[in-house]
């Protein structure tokens, strides 16, 4: 066994990274599961300037904080650079990622193995959300909303309200 894996720390901090643009009920389901499995769970938003997000990192942080308030061991943060360095800076020994379908697996496996190569002492754990959420993605939620479809039940109510406000603003601007 790897020397780095031979000792379990007294409290386990896990980090759940992602874009969360915006958080969906699938993400929230994983957060709830993670909060039960680990002593501390940090949900961390990638600050990626090259992507064009619908919501700024600050807005996404606010939305996440609103919905994780009910879980006392869950915190929200954001990061730039290597995920494993960010995890190590918070003494996180576990990375949490969700797998919805086999199609997610290839990309997730690549990332997990690269992260292991970079920092073998950090383990990636895949969680499956409730099957009722297995088809939800932030991208599809935004697409359905922009085409006038119903997104209720796909995202938390506070996020749905923000999405409607953002969409109304975009339409007013003529985009
Ligand atoms: O929700 P997403 O957009 O699929 O999340 C992707 C994320 C944030 C987990 C991934 O892009 C990431 O970890 N980025 C940080 C850069 C990094 O560490 N890259 C090297 C290891 S794969």
């Amino acid at each position: 066994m790897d020397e780095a894996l031979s000792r379990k720390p007294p409290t386990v901090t896990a980090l759940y990274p992602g874009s969360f643009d915006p958080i969906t009920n699938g993400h929230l389901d994983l957060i709830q599961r993670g909060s039960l499995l680990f002593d501390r769970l940090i949900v961390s938003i990638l600050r990626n300037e090259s992507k064009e997000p619908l919501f700024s990192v600050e807005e996404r942080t606010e939305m996440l904080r609103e919905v994780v308030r009910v879980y006392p061991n869950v915190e929200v943060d954001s990061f730039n650079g290597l995920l494993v360095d960010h995890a190590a800076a918070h003494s996180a020994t576990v990375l949490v990622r969700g797998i919805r379908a086999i199609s997610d697996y290839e990309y997730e496996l690549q990332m997990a193995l690269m992260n292991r190569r970079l920092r073998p002492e950090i383990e990636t754990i895949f969680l499956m959300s409730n099957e009722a959420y297995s088809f939800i993605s932030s991208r599809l939620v935004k697409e359905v909303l922009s085409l006038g479809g119903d997104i209720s039940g796909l995202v938390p109510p506070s996020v749905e309200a923000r999405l409607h406000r953002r969409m109304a603003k975009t339409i007013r601007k003529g985009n």
Side-chain angles (χ1 to χ4, degrees), residues 60-172:
R60 281 178 271 161
T61 304
E62 242 178 72
M63 282 190 268
L64 272 164
R65 289 212 169 114
E66 272 166 28
V67 295
V68 304
R69 206 175 286 150
V70 289
Y71 308 110
N73 61 340
V74 178
E75 298 158 35
V76 181
D77 198 359
S78 61
F79 73 104
N80 263 322
L82 280 180
L83 170 61
V84 285
D85 290 348
H86 174 58
H90 283 84
S91 307
T93 51
V94 174
L95 297 174
V96 172
R97 290 286 289 170
I99 296 226
R100 287 164 300 190
I102 286 292
S103 49
D104 285 339
Y105 180 73
E106 212 170 314
Y107 168 62
E108 293 299 334
L109 178 71
Q110 261 188 331
M111 281 205 302
L113 294 180
M114 180 60 81
N115 286 330
R116 177 182 283 168
R117 187 177 184 278
L118 293 167
R119 280 197 190 252
E121 70 278 18
I122 298 180
E123 198 66 59
T124 298
I125 291 189
F126 296 121
L127 296 180
M128 270 82 59
S129 67
N130 186 311
E131 62 274 15
Y133 304 128
S134 63
F135 63 96
I136 305 177
S137 70
S138 301
R139 185 182 61 80
L140 278 186
V141 166
K142 288 182 281 192
E143 186 174 314
V144 169
L145 179 69
S146 72
L147 298 171
D150 178 13
I151 57 157
S152 57
L154 304 180
V155 294
S158 57
V159 174
E160 188 183 339
R162 272 195 198 241
L163 274 163
H164 282 294
R165 285 203 297 275
R166 179 56 45 92
M167 207 47 71
K169 202 169 152 189
T170 312
I171 290 166
R172 273 204 306 278

